[in-house]
Every structure is written in structure tokens, then in C-alpha cells.
Amino acid sequence: MPILYSEEFKSFYLNTPNSSYVFHVNDGNFLVHDYYGAKIPMEDMKAHSLMTGNTGFSVKSADLTTAPDITPMEYSCNGSGDFRISALQIREARGNASTDMRYVSHKIYRGKPTMKDQPATYGTEAETETLEILTRDSVTGAEATLYYTVFENYDAIARRVKITNASDKEMDLERVYSSCTEIPFGNWDIGHLYGAWARERKFERKELPRGIHSIESKRGASGHFNNPFICLLDRNTTEDVGDAYGFSLIYSGNCSIQTEANVDGDLRVIMGINPTDFGWHLNPGESFETPEAVTVYSADGLGGMSRTFHKLYRNNLCRGPWKNAKRPLLINNWEGTYFNFDEEKIYNIAKQAGELGVEMLVLDDGWFGARDHDRAGLGDWFVNEEKLKGGLGLLSDRIHALGMKFGLWFEPEMINPDSDLYRAHPDWCLRVEGRPMSIGRNQYVLDMSRKDVRDYLFDCMDNILKHAKIEYIKWDFNRNLSEAASALLPAERQNEIFHRYVLGLYELLERLLQANPDLLLEGCSGGGGRFDPAMLYYSPQYWTSDDTDAIERLDIQYGTSIVYPTSAISSHVSACPNHQTRRSVSMQTRADVALAGTFGYELDVTKMSEEDKEEMKKQIAEYHKYYDVIHFGELYRLIPPNGEECAWCYVSEDKSEALLTFVCVRCHPKTRHRVKFRGLDPNKTYQDQDGTVHSGSVWMNAGINYMPPMQDHTTFKIHLTEIK
Ligand code: DGJ
């Protein structure tokens, strides 16, 4: 039983294969956190919850049992003596926002309850066990139910909270985080993924500052800038060894992960919806459910933490027939043609790419309405038959006749002012009456909280899917939300719009998938602007960045791999000079970097040289050869991109095969590069592609010392197979 309750200690023990999470109910019925870290036996841990903070200005609860400010609180409340960052703040009908939740009851059961209308991890009764704790504020009648699900196979805990108004008066939620985690004392570094358009998810590690530190978004989307993730690493933790705690929020909207460390290093982490621009009105009897938050503990460093996230998200978050199926090797026309195409151009790209082994043609932006540029057409989801004579049905049939699949781009949430949809329904946008609307990429944002808007989008998309054979949709989203107000919400609920937008987005995605269960969705937001776990629930792969330069991609894919599995990281070979950086690197380098993701091409294959086409055939053969080890193997990051070199390897789960990729970013006058494998079985014997044979122990400890001299931006792969 991974979840245990001790009557004697009034303590809960949540155990994963290698970690324990412990808290207890104290004499005042507060939930007090005791421990989170490497697995421990079930002992009385209450003494470990004493904080050594400065007690001088702390206050005690009226029953004198607890000073919440210097007690590790399991789910911290605002305004009742806990002066640190708090997870919950409810304004009651009398206007006061002091909140005080105490334990009422709990239950433990096998399995994981599904969430209403929101993405979440899932697991069978054999895989998961859940603890549900009811807490109540006896003054306001608000109830908070805390859910903890423990996975049998992963060192991960999924958490969320449901708030219910069990009183006969209205109340307002002002902040409701999904989790609050107290971390044991230590010297902590914080790691996070920051970026911008075309520079997404760069990993930064730095000393955790005292005071409050926030990683947040208030753009209406998780965004390019701060991915909804942090990790806490002991100062001595490396890629391979040491304590690492990962915090990941399954949410695509305004998120917030805050840490607060006091003078003695006592540390709290809260993770959930950003309270800025958030509120939720609860009438008597109504409930609110937070998004799900996932915490991972690893004693095997940053790499161990990442591998847990990879497996959990690949197997227990991604869904549908494509989750572990081999994805079609695609060619996307965006960088090949931009808006400048017709049906013959697209057909010829498909035909020539198909002859080289590509399996699907994806038609990107520009096939609908008056969409000859990015200033018009969004919202008019009707094929432009002047451009595509015979329509999508004919084009799709011709592409299928080549033995290929067909995919299509949409940007459902957006509208150009120059569109028939806007002319007919200007009120369907997010807008503040009387205030001019900000514009981004010449477009406004549709009000996804409105059912009529979602119905229109569903009908358009479903109609297209019914009239042409389409196996894949790329779902784009190219600006963030401003003047976010809905024409349909009353004034007292306008601060619900950001969250309602996200719920509306989820509903439309779900509806589309329910109606088209075999569809493969690829998420996108101006590259990887909404690359978050929630989107992976709907789209098992995500366009990682509009920056397709292989050298830039080293940083982007390295950072993305901190949390997200390779099977989610969409990566393409594009033309050179690269359209974003003007850099030219070889076809081989572009392919070797793109292989560390869902491989594909994004160029005009009809303009390629015969030599490059021959290279492309070889690359496609390698893609098939290495698919399983890359997509189902475990990732070991060997050398982070450091401006000089970068290397990683994949090892199959049974440790019978491994593939190492080494990139020389900047060469020096030296004859050899050195790198060591990780993750092999030391006692197995492996042979590389040149016939060199060593034990796993030698490949990992002595490493490789024979790579040929390399030039700037070149790559080298080593493929090991076990010899029995
Ligand atoms: C942004 C995406 O990231 C690109 O791949 C492409 O689909 C364009 N939008 C099309 O407008």
C-alpha cells in the first residue's frame, strides 16, 4: 500500500518506489507537513516539522496549538497567522479574507478519480492510489478537499484541490493554488525554463534567493517566457546524482509557481493558477477545482527527475491511439512556401517527399478564407478554392493516392479584423467595451468562454474533417490575451475570464477529439509558446520552436527535455541558410538534432539538390532504425550545450541498445573528443557500428576516445547494440 495512515501518530505516509511524503494532523486539527524526500520507514516524524525560524513576531492560533507562520503547513491559508505565501484565500460574504482550514476526515482508495473538464494524469487501480482529505473553515463554511495520487511505478505525486461553498452565503475565491509543498532545509538551487519567441525553454540554474521568488505568466497562456515548471536542486546535485525536486503544473493559462525561503532556509513552494487577474465567485453549494500539479523527487539528480517526468507524461498524461504509436514522418510546407502555394505546388512537394520516404504532408497556414498573408482570414475556416482548386477533398485524395497521410493547420482561437467572421460577430472577441483593442500579429482573440464561439469553431473544423480525409491537425495560437473581458459575463464574474478561456479551450479540444478519435493533434503557439503538460493531454506532440536552426535547437531541446519526453518534442529539418538565424549547417547535423524529437521536414523538397535528396533518404532510414530507442528509451544528457559541444544518449529500457549523439559546436585544434555513455548495463557487452566491443562499464567509465576531428557544427553518432 503506497499510502498509509497511522492512527497512533495521526500521520499520512505517501510512498512511491523511492520517495516518501509525510504529514500529520496536529492537536489543533491543522495539517502539518513533516517530510518529503528519499524513502523512509513509517516512524513518528512530528519532531521534523519544527521550523527554526525567527519566532519573535509569529502569532498562535486561538487554541494555542499552532503558530502557522513557523510551522510547515500542508496547505497554507491566508490571513490567519501564516504570513508567508499562502495557497488559499477566500473572501467571505462579510468582505473578510482570513481563511483557516482544519482537518475533518479522510479516505484512501485505489485508483485516481478523473477530473471534471480539465486535463490531468490518469492511472488504473493497479497503478495508482489516492488520498482525499476534507478540511473545513468552521467560520465561513468553505471546504477544501485535498487530493493526492501516488503512482506505483514513478516517484511522482499528483495533487489538486477542490473548494466547495458549504455555507448558505456567497463567497469569492481570490487565490487557490493546486499544491503547497514544504521542502526540508538545505542549500537549494532553483532551475527553471525561461525564453521568448524562437528561444523557448532555456534552462537556468541559480542559487535560490531568500524571500519570495516567482515564475509566472499573466498572458492568458503558459507562454514562451516562463514554462510552468521549476526544480529545486541541492547545491551539490548534478545531472546524475543528488536530490532533485520537480514541480510541474498541468495548466495552459496564467500560472504561478512561487517559492519563499526564510532566514534559516525553510522553504515553501506553491504552484497553481496565478492569482493576478483571477477570481471565482461561489454560490452556496458550488465547487471549484484547481488544475493538477505534479511533484517528482529524484535522488539521481536532474537527469533522474527528467526521466520520471518523461515516463509519467508519455504514459499517464498523453492519451489516445497516437500516444505510443509510431508517429507519421511528416513534411510541413510552412518554411518551404509560407503563403505562396497552390494545389499543384503542395501536391508536388508531397509527391517528391513521398518518393523519398516521407509519410504525411502537412498543409500549414494560408489554405482558407482570404488568407494570402497574415493580415486577413483568421476565423473564416472555409477552403480558398481559388488557391486550392477542387478543394481540400481533392487535394487530400491525391495525397492519399501517393500512399501518404494528410494534415492541416488551424488557429481556431483567433480572428482577423479583416475576416467575414469579425464583420458578422465583432462581439465574439475578448474586448472591454469602449476601450480600443490591442492587436498582435494583426489578430484579436476569440472569447473561448462562449459556447456559441466554440460551437462555431467545432462545426467548421468538424465539417472540414468530415469532407476531406485528414489524419492530423496542427493547432496554432499566435498571440496572448489582452483587454480580456467577455460580453456575456456579469461584472462580478469578469475576473473569471482568463480561467474560463482555458476551460473553453479544453472543452473544444476534447469535443474535437471525441468526435474524431483517430486524429493526431500537434500543438503549436508561434513555435512552443504553450508547450505545457496540459496541451500534451490533447496533443501528444508539440511544435517546439519556430527557430529551426539546429545549433539554436540544442539549447531549446535541451531545456525542453528537462520536463518533456522526446515523443512530444516536434523537430524538423529545414532549409539552409536557416530562415531565423541565416546560419548554414550540414543536412546531417540538422537531421541528427531533429532526430531527438518527432522527426520531420519543413522545406521545399522540390528545390533540393539531388545530393541532399540522397542524404534525406539515408536520414529517413536512420529515423526508422533508431525510432524505438529514441522514443521509448531513456534520455541521458551527457554534455549540456555549452557553446563548445553538446551530447546526449538514449538507452532502451532493457538496456540492449543505445544511441549517442555528439555535436561539435565550436571546434578546437584537437584530435579527439571525449564523452562517456550513461545508463548502460555495466555487465553487458556492447558493440558499436564500427565493430568496437566493450563492456557497458568501459563505455560508461572510460568513455569514447576515438571520434574523428570535427568541424564547427558537425555531429557524430555512436550506436551500441548488446552482444550476447
Ligand atoms: C506559427 C507557427 O509556429 C509556424 O510553424 C506556422 O504554423 C505559422 N504560425 C503560420 O502562421
PDB file of all heavy atoms in Angstrom, residues 655-672:
ATOM      1  N   LYS A 655      18.026  -2.067 -21.838  1.00  0.00           N
ATOM      2  CA  LYS A 655      19.467  -1.766 -21.886  1.00  0.00           C
ATOM      3  C   LYS A 655      20.220  -2.602 -22.918  1.00  0.00           C
ATOM      4  O   LYS A 655      21.395  -2.902 -22.752  1.00  0.00           O
ATOM      5  CB  LYS A 655      20.099  -1.912 -20.492  1.00  0.00           C
ATOM      6  CG  LYS A 655      19.479  -0.955 -19.474  1.00  0.00           C
ATOM      7  CD  LYS A 655      20.309  -0.813 -18.240  1.00  0.00           C
ATOM      8  CE  LYS A 655      19.662   0.100 -17.207  1.00  0.00           C
ATOM      9  NZ  LYS A 655      19.606   1.495 -17.590  1.00  0.00           N
ATOM     10  N   SER A 656      19.521  -2.977 -23.978  1.00  0.00           N
ATOM     11  CA  SER A 656      20.189  -3.777 -25.008  1.00  0.00           C
ATOM     12  C   SER A 656      20.696  -2.901 -26.158  1.00  0.00           C
ATOM     13  O   SER A 656      21.384  -3.377 -27.042  1.00  0.00           O
ATOM     14  CB  SER A 656      19.223  -4.822 -25.565  1.00  0.00           C
ATOM     15  OG  SER A 656      18.174  -4.162 -26.239  1.00  0.00           O
ATOM     16  N   GLU A 657      20.320  -1.624 -26.165  1.00  0.00           N
ATOM     17  CA  GLU A 657      20.671  -0.757 -27.291  1.00  0.00           C
ATOM     18  C   GLU A 657      20.843   0.673 -26.797  1.00  0.00           C
ATOM     19  O   GLU A 657      20.162   1.089 -25.849  1.00  0.00           O
ATOM     20  CB  GLU A 657      19.522  -0.808 -28.321  1.00  0.00           C
ATOM     21  CG  GLU A 657      19.799  -0.066 -29.598  1.00  0.00           C
ATOM     22  CD  GLU A 657      18.577  -0.004 -30.529  1.00  0.00           C
ATOM     23  OE1 GLU A 657      17.512  -0.530 -30.159  1.00  0.00           O
ATOM     24  OE2 GLU A 657      18.710   0.602 -31.606  1.00  0.00           O
ATOM     25  N   ALA A 658      21.731   1.412 -27.426  1.00  0.00           N
ATOM     26  CA  ALA A 658      21.903   2.827 -27.062  1.00  0.00           C
ATOM     27  C   ALA A 658      22.336   3.615 -28.285  1.00  0.00           C
ATOM     28  O   ALA A 658      23.002   3.077 -29.179  1.00  0.00           O
ATOM     29  CB  ALA A 658      22.930   2.974 -25.948  1.00  0.00           C
ATOM     30  N   LEU A 659      21.939   4.872 -28.297  1.00  0.00           N
ATOM     31  CA  LEU A 659      22.354   5.758 -29.395  1.00  0.00           C
ATOM     32  C   LEU A 659      22.862   7.056 -28.789  1.00  0.00           C
ATOM     33  O   LEU A 659      22.144   7.731 -28.046  1.00  0.00           O
ATOM     34  CB  LEU A 659      21.165   6.064 -30.314  1.00  0.00           C
ATOM     35  CG  LEU A 659      21.496   7.033 -31.458  1.00  0.00           C
ATOM     36  CD1 LEU A 659      22.400   6.359 -32.500  1.00  0.00           C
ATOM     37  CD2 LEU A 659      20.220   7.544 -32.121  1.00  0.00           C
ATOM     38  N   LEU A 660      24.117   7.378 -29.099  1.00  0.00           N
ATOM     39  CA  LEU A 660      24.727   8.611 -28.576  1.00  0.00           C
ATOM     40  C   LEU A 660      24.899   9.592 -29.734  1.00  0.00           C
ATOM     41  O   LEU A 660      25.349   9.218 -30.815  1.00  0.00           O
ATOM     42  CB  LEU A 660      26.078   8.272 -27.954  1.00  0.00           C
ATOM     43  CG  LEU A 660      26.890   9.399 -27.299  1.00  0.00           C
ATOM     44  CD1 LEU A 660      27.745   8.839 -26.164  1.00  0.00           C
ATOM     45  CD2 LEU A 660      27.771  10.140 -28.289  1.00  0.00           C
ATOM     46  N   THR A 661      24.529  10.842 -29.487  1.00  0.00           N
ATOM     47  CA  THR A 661      24.764  11.894 -30.488  1.00  0.00           C
ATOM     48  C   THR A 661      25.677  12.938 -29.865  1.00  0.00           C
ATOM     49  O   THR A 661      25.431  13.398 -28.739  1.00  0.00           O
ATOM     50  CB  THR A 661      23.434  12.555 -30.910  1.00  0.00           C
ATOM     51  OG1 THR A 661      22.562  11.533 -31.373  1.00  0.00           O
ATOM     52  CG2 THR A 661      23.644  13.575 -32.020  1.00  0.00           C
ATOM     53  N   PHE A 662      26.713  13.278 -30.588  1.00  0.00           N
ATOM     54  CA  PHE A 662      27.675  14.275 -30.125  1.00  0.00           C
ATOM     55  C   PHE A 662      27.678  15.408 -31.148  1.00  0.00           C
ATOM     56  O   PHE A 662      27.759  15.177 -32.351  1.00  0.00           O
ATOM     57  CB  PHE A 662      29.070  13.633 -30.041  1.00  0.00           C
ATOM     58  CG  PHE A 662      30.129  14.561 -29.524  1.00  0.00           C
ATOM     59  CD1 PHE A 662      30.488  14.541 -28.180  1.00  0.00           C
ATOM     60  CD2 PHE A 662      30.766  15.455 -30.376  1.00  0.00           C
ATOM     61  CE1 PHE A 662      31.463  15.409 -27.699  1.00  0.00           C
ATOM     62  CE2 PHE A 662      31.738  16.317 -29.901  1.00  0.00           C
ATOM     63  CZ  PHE A 662      32.096  16.294 -28.556  1.00  0.00           C
ATOM     64  N   VAL A 663      27.593  16.650 -30.668  1.00  0.00           N
ATOM     65  CA  VAL A 663      27.630  17.796 -31.581  1.00  0.00           C
ATOM     66  C   VAL A 663      28.848  18.639 -31.240  1.00  0.00           C
ATOM     67  O   VAL A 663      29.030  19.041 -30.081  1.00  0.00           O
ATOM     68  CB  VAL A 663      26.357  18.673 -31.439  1.00  0.00           C
ATOM     69  CG1 VAL A 663      26.352  19.784 -32.486  1.00  0.00           C
ATOM     70  CG2 VAL A 663      25.096  17.828 -31.552  1.00  0.00           C
ATOM     71  N   CYS A 664      29.684  18.868 -32.233  1.00  0.00           N
ATOM     72  CA  CYS A 664      30.799  19.794 -32.056  1.00  0.00           C
ATOM     73  C   CYS A 664      30.287  21.166 -32.478  1.00  0.00           C
ATOM     74  O   CYS A 664      30.004  21.394 -33.652  1.00  0.00           O
ATOM     75  CB  CYS A 664      31.978  19.361 -32.928  1.00  0.00           C
ATOM     76  SG  CYS A 664      33.306  20.556 -32.877  1.00  0.00           S
ATOM     77  N   VAL A 665      30.119  22.047 -31.507  1.00  0.00           N
ATOM     78  CA  VAL A 665      29.566  23.364 -31.827  1.00  0.00           C
ATOM     79  C   VAL A 665      30.682  24.285 -32.312  1.00  0.00           C
ATOM     80  O   VAL A 665      30.563  24.971 -33.310  1.00  0.00           O
ATOM     81  CB  VAL A 665      28.850  23.954 -30.593  1.00  0.00           C
ATOM     82  CG1 VAL A 665      28.310  25.352 -30.897  1.00  0.00           C
ATOM     83  CG2 VAL A 665      27.708  23.031 -30.161  1.00  0.00           C
ATOM     84  N   ARG A 666      31.784  24.280 -31.586  1.00  0.00           N
ATOM     85  CA  ARG A 666      32.931  25.115 -31.977  1.00  0.00           C
ATOM     86  C   ARG A 666      34.169  24.257 -31.845  1.00  0.00           C
ATOM     87  O   ARG A 666      34.478  23.772 -30.747  1.00  0.00           O
ATOM     88  CB  ARG A 666      33.027  26.307 -31.035  1.00  0.00           C
ATOM     89  CG  ARG A 666      33.944  27.403 -31.555  1.00  0.00           C
ATOM     90  CD  ARG A 666      33.886  28.589 -30.635  1.00  0.00           C
ATOM     91  NE  ARG A 666      34.699  28.319 -29.457  1.00  0.00           N
ATOM     92  CZ  ARG A 666      35.487  29.218 -28.886  1.00  0.00           C
ATOM     93  NH1 ARG A 666      35.551  30.439 -29.359  1.00  0.00           N
ATOM     94  NH2 ARG A 666      36.195  28.913 -27.819  1.00  0.00           N
ATOM     95  N   CYS A 667      34.879  24.044 -32.936  1.00  0.00           N
ATOM     96  CA  CYS A 667      35.991  23.101 -32.835  1.00  0.00           C
ATOM     97  C   CYS A 667      37.274  23.806 -32.410  1.00  0.00           C
ATOM     98  O   CYS A 667      37.404  25.025 -32.497  1.00  0.00           O
ATOM     99  CB  CYS A 667      36.178  22.344 -34.141  1.00  0.00           C
ATOM    100  SG  CYS A 667      36.861  23.324 -35.442  1.00  0.00           S
ATOM    101  N   HIS A 668      38.168  23.015 -31.906  1.00  0.00           N
ATOM    102  CA  HIS A 668      39.479  23.489 -31.480  1.00  0.00           C
ATOM    103  C   HIS A 668      40.509  22.626 -32.185  1.00  0.00           C
ATOM    104  O   HIS A 668      40.202  21.520 -32.625  1.00  0.00           O
ATOM    105  CB  HIS A 668      39.640  23.317 -29.963  1.00  0.00           C
ATOM    106  CG  HIS A 668      38.679  24.151 -29.193  1.00  0.00           C
ATOM    107  ND1 HIS A 668      38.818  25.508 -29.062  1.00  0.00           N
ATOM    108  CD2 HIS A 668      37.540  23.823 -28.536  1.00  0.00           C
ATOM    109  CE1 HIS A 668      37.810  25.977 -28.350  1.00  0.00           C
ATOM    110  NE2 HIS A 668      37.013  24.979 -28.023  1.00  0.00           N
ATOM    111  N   PRO A 669      41.755  23.087 -32.252  1.00  0.00           N
ATOM    112  CA  PRO A 669      42.770  22.234 -32.865  1.00  0.00           C
ATOM    113  C   PRO A 669      43.100  21.059 -31.964  1.00  0.00           C
ATOM    114  O   PRO A 669      44.105  21.035 -31.271  1.00  0.00           O
ATOM    115  CB  PRO A 669      43.965  23.170 -33.061  1.00  0.00           C
ATOM    116  CG  PRO A 669      43.717  24.336 -32.198  1.00  0.00           C
ATOM    117  CD  PRO A 669      42.267  24.396 -31.883  1.00  0.00           C
ATOM    118  N   LYS A 670      42.208  20.106 -31.891  1.00  0.00           N
ATOM    119  CA  LYS A 670      42.475  18.908 -31.118  1.00  0.00           C
ATOM    120  C   LYS A 670      42.018  17.708 -31.929  1.00  0.00           C
ATOM    121  O   LYS A 670      41.194  17.832 -32.830  1.00  0.00           O
ATOM    122  CB  LYS A 670      41.778  18.941 -29.761  1.00  0.00           C
ATOM    123  CG  LYS A 670      40.281  19.010 -29.794  1.00  0.00           C
ATOM    124  CD  LYS A 670      39.739  19.031 -28.385  1.00  0.00           C
ATOM    125  CE  LYS A 670      38.229  19.124 -28.380  1.00  0.00           C
ATOM    126  NZ  LYS A 670      37.642  19.185 -27.076  1.00  0.00           N
ATOM    127  N   THR A 671      42.552  16.580 -31.599  1.00  0.00           N
ATOM    128  CA  THR A 671      42.287  15.430 -32.449  1.00  0.00           C
ATOM    129  C   THR A 671      41.146  14.580 -31.930  1.00  0.00           C
ATOM    130  O   THR A 671      40.635  13.741 -32.643  1.00  0.00           O
ATOM    131  CB  THR A 671      43.531  14.543 -32.552  1.00  0.00           C
ATOM    132  OG1 THR A 671      43.965  14.276 -31.239  1.00  0.00           O
ATOM    133  CG2 THR A 671      44.594  15.207 -33.378  1.00  0.00           C
ATOM    134  N   ARG A 672      40.771  14.739 -30.708  1.00  0.00           N
ATOM    135  CA  ARG A 672      39.730  13.858 -30.215  1.00  0.00           C
ATOM    136  C   ARG A 672      38.724  14.588 -29.337  1.00  0.00           C
ATOM    137  O   ARG A 672      39.054  15.568 -28.690  1.00  0.00           O
ATOM    138  CB  ARG A 672      40.286  12.699 -29.374  1.00  0.00           C
ATOM    139  CG  ARG A 672      41.722  12.664 -29.132  1.00  0.00           C
ATOM    140  CD  ARG A 672      42.086  11.366 -28.488  1.00  0.00           C
ATOM    141  NE  ARG A 672      42.794  10.587 -29.483  1.00  0.00           N
ATOM    142  CZ  ARG A 672      43.726   9.724 -29.178  1.00  0.00           C
ATOM    143  NH1 ARG A 672      44.024   9.482 -27.927  1.00  0.00           N
ATOM    144  NH2 ARG A 672      44.341   9.058 -30.120  1.00  0.00           N
TER     145      ARG A 672
END
